[in-house]
Amino acid sequence: MTTKVPPESGSESLGPEDREADGPDASVLLLQSEGTDAPPTRPLAQPGALLVDDDEEEAADDDTPREGVVDRPSDPDVAARIRELEERLDRMIGEHARGRDAEDGTSLAVRSPPRATPSTRRSARPPDPEGALDAARDLRSSEFYLQKWGRLGLRNRSEEVDEFGYDPVYERKVLPLFDFLYEKYFRVEVHGVERVPAEGRCLLVANHSGTLPFDGMMLRRAVRREHPKHREVRWLAEDGIFHFPFLGSFTNRVGAVRACQENAERLLEQDALVAVFPEGVKGIAKLFKERYRLQRFGRGGFVKLGLRTRTPVVPVAIVGGEEANPMLSRIDYLTRAFGIPYLPVTPTFPWLGPLGLLPAPTKWKIFFGQPIDLQGYGAGSVDDELLVGRLTEQVRAEIQQTLDRALGDRRSVWFG
Amino acid sequence: MADYLRAPTMSGSRASSSGGSPAPALSHSGSLTPTAPRSRTRSVAVTGATGFLGSNLIGSLEEDDRVGRIVAIDATPLAGAGKKTRSYEVDLTQPSAEARIAEILAADRVDTIAHLAFLPEPTHATAWAHELESLGTMHVTVAARQAQVRKLVLWSQTWLYGAHPSNPNFLTEKHPLRAPRSEPFFTDKIEAEEQARKLAQRSPGTVVTILRTAPILGPTVHNAFTRYLAHRVVPTMMGFDPLVQFLHEVDAISALHLSVVRDVPGTFNIVGDGVLPLSTVVKLAGRIALPVPHPLARTMTALGWVAQLVQAPPTFLKYLRFLCVADGRKARESLGFAPAYTSREALLDFVNAQRLREVKLLAENAT
């Protein structure tokens, strides 16, 4: 209460503003206290109020006067006073703005309530030639162009990427390319996508293929388009890819995440749908003659991950990808010096330059298997190497069988 | 020594504030303060007191009733300190610093040291920086053991994890520190952390809290990253667009404050929420990105650094190519630190102040 004294003894001109600022706060507080007090007391005082089908707010209005008899009459009073003071303030601002130049007007306008500013400002500042001059000066300064440049650059990007670097706006921009690849180029055929759970964390385990791995993107597109819930797949990519300029940031923006236990665990904790390629670099480094022969599945990292996070595993077999970029040979002599694990030799690659990396238009088929539930195993099962090995082998065998069956049914690499 | 002699008279009336420690000689003045229910107040020493973090931490500790006395230690005297603060001039690069600090800690019955005497940006004077950061920390830890200080809070940075393509998207505190060892800026700080951990091992009663902050941005702070964004044209690595995260300066100070008043031993990543691609950072800052192929950038920066034309040695370029983002969950759960600003908000706050500075509406603060 002692703090209230100085403003009153202060200058006259500040008086109304101060009181005006106190006024609404005080009334809001009163209203709030009524609101918070009412609910607990109302059901006790008037049990029938809940049964009445009337508007809830009306009932509250009926109740409040009975409890807050003292507060209620002061309300319209306060409101009227506020309105009066606001009008006075508006008038004062208007006079000031008319009397003084623009600078005084703005400094007063800052202190006045925001509701009053637009009208007074507009009346105070008719469109003057100075504005045009300002605009011209803007056009001359490099700052202006810098800003425009920055805005143009941001238009293609979303305001915020997610915590793993996925940028939805950017993906939408490149989506036509992916859709072209999906529909027209690889003509992807999807079987059993409904076996992917409609919600909750899930691990898709697939064979890896292709010198340039398109399988992650195609798997993402497939689930996004065909799954009844249109779930989003985040796929884990080898960290080799992040060494390279452009490739790393591009795949990251369209949804890939670097493959490591920490990332996978964090994604699964958020109940995401995560695709992994346990073959890793060995998978995409397969020669043409080794196609569809699954490589070692790492050290069973994905099974440990599934056990630890209690995530079901869905085996996925992708047919077609392994012929898209047939690798005849790979050169791993001296390539380490350039930061790449090996140099692929395909019928087209080193000979046609980067163009040679374009995949062949093979027919793709993606088969989803039955989910394998890993929830039943206990807490210590992660350290049980026998169990991890057995489960890894089970998943691997299932993918291999699906691949073999699909290859047996297939008539042509190009038309399926 | 003159400072030291003057100090007791300066804060004679505040002597009661150290009343928590058993000091029978001073107990008569304890009756001067009516705040009897408070059982114990802390006496906090802050090294690097004139730096950004030091001076602001002292400012926020001044307003905390739980802190009775603040001892500011720096090579230059602290200007405009509050009533609780005593300022001492100690040069950590001097061999005599150890004995001097021990003396001060004992005299003021310091129970907590916030060791913030680290350089926020690389320097050409690497030998001096080594003396200050690595050996300075040694002096402080040894003095802390001598004076039986209960707690040490050390400022460190998430940069020490190093930027690598093999980093997980969110580095936890368990991750090894893999910053380039050839760069003294990082090596000295890693050594400082090791010394702090050694102190925790040798004297088990001591609480050692290490705070690794993300690059700090805000309206007033100056460091390597604010220098990077200060130019109109900002070099980026062609084809690389790493995710980066920031910490607002206010959050950095509140995290330090929290770890001073709460006894939570361990290492914590102190980071703002959210990540931004570097390209977005440059655009939000209203700068022009100049993509440079990284081999070229490395040679250019190496030459520029030798010629003192650029502000950072080439080892920093890795942070423009690869991820170095830390996970702040541990600090949230154990330390109770929740950042008030996201990475994006911290950046925008910095950018707004920068704009005002450019049109001379905001005075450049001397740091």
Side-chain angles (χ1 to χ4, degrees):
Chain A
M1 276 293 113
T2 47
T3 49
K4 279 237 162 182
V5 179
E8 278 177 18
S9 63
S11 64
E12 266 296 328
S13 62
L14 274 174
E17 269 185 49
D18 271 7
R19 241 174 288 151
E20 197 266 333
D22 277 357
D25 277 350
S27 68
V28 164
L29 273 178
L30 280 177
L31 285 175
Q32 275 176 349
S33 68
E34 274 174 26
T36 47
D37 280 347
T41 50
R42 185 153 40 107
L44 285 175
Q46 225 181 23
L50 285 175
L51 298 174
V52 179
D53 218 8
D54 272 352
D55 219 349
E56 277 276 292
E57 284 181 20
E58 263 187 33
D61 272 354
D62 282 339
D63 273 354
T64 37
R66 236 166 284 159
E67 285 149 23
V69 199
V70 194
D71 301 340
R72 190 71 188 179
S74 73
D75 241 359
D77 266 16
V78 171
R81 237 175 63 208
I82 292 167
R83 225 163 286 135
E84 186 199 319
L85 287 170
E86 271 178 3
E87 270 165 27
R88 242 175 80 194
L89 192 63
D90 278 359
R91 238 178 297 129
M92 279 167 65
I93 291 166
E95 278 166 20
H96 262 274
R98 251 171 276 135
R100 304 274 177 88
D101 54 357
E103 272 181 26
D104 273 15
T106 47
S107 69
L108 247 180
V110 170
R111 278 194 283 162
S112 71
R115 192 148 46 89
T117 42
S119 60
T120 49
R121 266 210 173 157
R122 228 172 286 138
S123 64
R125 270 206 220 163
D128 53 352
E130 272 182 38
L133 267 180
D134 277 348
R137 212 174 299 135
D138 271 357
L139 279 174
R140 235 177 42 210
S141 77
S142 56
E143 198 67 33
F144 173 78
Y145 294 101
L146 261 180
Q147 276 176 10
K148 284 275 176 267
W149 173 262
R151 268 178 219 147
L152 271 179
L154 275 181
R155 208 170 47 186
N156 294 336
R157 297 295 180 87
S158 56
E159 287 286 294
E160 255 167 74
V161 299
D162 84 341
E163 59 175 27
F164 288 97
Y166 164 62
D167 185 339
V169 174
Y170 186 68
E171 198 205 9
R172 222 170 297 141
K173 221 180 64 182
V174 293
L175 213 53
L177 172 69
F178 289 165
D179 275 338
F180 167 76
L181 284 176
Y182 184 88
E183 285 171 21
K184 303 274 159 51
Y185 204 74
F186 295 130
R187 294 147 289 144
V188 181
E189 215 177 284
V190 179
H191 299 272
V193 71
E194 65 285 345
R195 288 173 181 163
V196 178
E199 56 186 11
R201 56 188 72 169
C202 178
L203 208 52
L204 304 178
V205 179
N207 58 319
H208 212 1
S209 55
T211 311
L212 269 190
F214 286 97
D215 39 10
M217 287 173 206
M218 289 303 116
L219 191 57
R220 181 182 166 84
R221 272 328 277 154
V223 178
R224 183 88 193 152
R225 291 169 61 122
E226 320 286 343
H227 191 265
K229 288 271 189 246
H230 307 288
R231 289 194 70 177
E232 262 196 54
V233 176
R234 303 301 298 263
W235 82 95
L236 302 186
E238 301 81 16
D239 42 309
I241 204 174
F242 295 101
H243 280 282
F244 293 104
F246 300 106
L247 199 59
S249 53
F250 173 74
T251 47
N252 188 225
R253 290 300 166 272
V254 297
V257 176
R258 190 188 93 75
C260 64
Q261 288 278 332
E262 293 96 326
N263 283 349
E265 238 179 276
R266 202 177 165 102
L267 278 168
L268 289 174
E269 273 167 24
Q270 298 167 2
D271 283 340
L273 181 57
V274 180
V276 294
F277 302 96
E279 288 175 278
V281 184
K282 287 163 71 78
I284 52 174
K286 270 183 284 191
L287 294 180
F288 187 62
K289 61 181 181 205
E290 298 164 336
R291 65 188 181 278
Y292 300 117
R293 298 265 69 85
L294 286 182
Q295 302 291 307
R296 177 169 60 84
F297 266 20
R299 292 189 191 84
F302 75 94
V303 169
K304 286 181 200 163
L305 184 70
L307 286 171
R308 207 176 314 133
T309 57
R310 302 174 162 273
T311 307
V313 169
V314 175
V316 179
I318 303 175
V319 178
E322 308 211 8
E323 282 103 353
N325 263 327
M327 201 196 306
L328 302 177
S329 163
R330 54 173 182 255
I331 303 171
D332 40 20
Y333 175 65
L334 280 184
T335 52
R336 289 260 166 207
F338 298 100
I340 47 175
Y342 61 90
L343 187 75
V345 178
T346 69
T348 50
F349 173 53
W351 333 119
L352 296 179
L355 265 183
L357 276 178
L358 284 180
T362 51
K363 169 82 178 169
W364 281 35
K365 285 179 187 169
I366 302 180
F367 298 89
F368 291 87
Q370 286 295 351
I372 298 167
D373 193 10
L374 297 181
Q375 287 211 6
Y377 302 96
S381 55
V382 180
D383 300 322
D384 187 350
E385 278 144 19
L386 279 176
L387 176 73
V388 170
R390 191 162 56 76
L391 286 170
T392 310
E393 194 46 39
Q394 184 191 337
V395 176
R396 191 175 164 277
E398 192 166 334
I399 298 174
Q400 186 70 68
Q401 274 168 21
T402 318
L403 281 176
D404 291 343
R405 205 168 46 238
L407 289 174
D409 294 346
R410 187 169 71 164
R411 300 244 181 77
S412 153
V413 174
W414 313 104
F415 304 108
Chain B
M1 227 33 208
D3 258 4
Y4 180 52
L5 288 174
R6 189 156 44 87
T9 55
M10 249 172 68
S11 64
S13 62
R14 304 290 304 183
S16 63
S17 54
S18 69
S21 49
L26 292 172
S27 62
H28 65 275
S29 63
S31 58
L32 284 178
T33 47
T35 52
R38 208 191 316 139
S39 60
R40 184 186 172 83
T41 58
R42 287 170 185 276
S43 174
V44 182
V46 178
T47 63
T50 59
F52 171 78
L53 286 177
S55 54
N56 283 295
L57 176 64
I58 288 173
S60 84
L61 289 179
E62 275 281 346
E63 290 169 9
D64 194 327
D65 291 339
R66 288 167 287 186
V67 177
R69 177 179 299 171
I70 303 161
V71 177
I73 299 174
D74 205 318
T76 51
L78 179 68
K83 273 187 272 174
K84 293 183 199 169
T85 309
R86 291 183 189 187
S87 177
Y88 294 98
E89 282 174 55
V90 181
D91 190 349
L92 284 178
T93 58
Q94 298 300 318
S96 61
E98 204 171 289
R100 186 77 209 290
I101 292 172
E103 201 180 320
I104 294 166
L105 295 180
D108 277 310
R109 297 198 167 74
V110 168
D111 50 34
T112 305
I113 306 180
H115 183 36
L116 314 173
F118 295 98
L119 300 173
E121 52 190 325
T123 169
H124 284 279
T126 49
W128 171 74
H130 180 70
E131 293 290 322
L132 173 69
E133 296 187 336
S134 181
L135 291 165
T137 308
M138 191 186 79
H139 294 324
V140 169
T141 50
V142 172
R145 278 187 71 196
Q146 258 178 41
Q148 293 180 331
V149 170
R150 237 167 31 76
K151 178 150 107 180
L152 174 75
V153 177
L154 183 88
W155 172 44
S156 181
Q157 302 187 27
T158 56
W159 266 346
L160 302 191
Y161 291 117
H164 297 274
S166 54
N167 274 351
N169 277 49
F170 290 92
L171 294 152
T172 56
E173 287 81 357
K174 278 176 255 163
H175 208 80
L177 299 177
R178 298 195 293 163
R181 286 285 177 155
S182 57
E183 176 55 49
F185 178 78
F186 302 121
T187 320
D188 292 337
K189 289 178 174 65
I190 292 174
E191 282 170 12
E193 267 204 30
E194 278 161 10
Q195 273 150 11
R197 270 192 290 272
K198 214 183 281 169
L199 172 73
Q201 281 169 9
R202 292 225 181 116
S203 45
T206 312
V207 176
V208 174
T209 311
I210 299 173
L211 300 185
R212 292 183 185 145
T213 63
I216 300 173
L217 281 190
T220 59
V221 72
H222 285 273
N223 56 35
F225 205 91
T226 60
R227 293 239 181 265
Y228 169 72
L229 282 182
H231 298 284
R232 181 158 285 194
V233 176
V234 170
T236 57
M237 300 298 104
M238 188 184 276
F240 291 96
D241 192 10
L243 300 172
V244 289
Q245 74 184 156
F246 303 115
L247 177 69
H248 194 272
E249 54 185 45
V250 167
D251 287 327
I253 292 151
S254 74
L256 283 169
H257 190 135
L258 256 184
S259 55
V260 165
V261 295
R262 285 189 195 162
D263 291 343
V264 190
T267 308
F268 301 96
N269 293 330
I270 304 295
V271 302
D273 290 330
V275 290
L276 293 167
L278 187 65
S279 60
T280 308
V281 170
V282 172
K283 277 165 195 155
L284 282 176
R287 306 302 184 205
I288 298 176
L290 176 70
V292 185
H294 62 268
L296 181 68
R298 204 179 305 140
T299 22
M300 301 266 287
T301 318
L303 289 174
W305 178 245
V306 171
Q308 310 209 353
L309 294 173
V310 294
Q311 281 105 5
T315 39
F316 279 72
L317 293 177
K318 268 203 148 188
Y319 293 85
L320 302 181
R321 285 168 69 197
F322 304 125
L323 263 180
C324 180
V325 171
D327 185 358
R329 279 192 289 191
K330 189 182 165 198
R332 197 181 281 268
E333 284 155 16
S334 325
L335 191 64
F337 166 75
Y341 291 80
T342 64
S343 294
R344 186 189 172 82
E345 286 162 354
L347 172 70
L348 289 178
D349 208 12
F350 160 75
V351 168
N352 289 339
Q354 195 74 9
R355 291 220 174 99
L356 289 180
R357 226 171 260 147
E358 275 162 19
V359 294
K360 306 276 187 275
L361 273 175
L362 194 68
E364 189 74 44
N365 56 335
T367 326

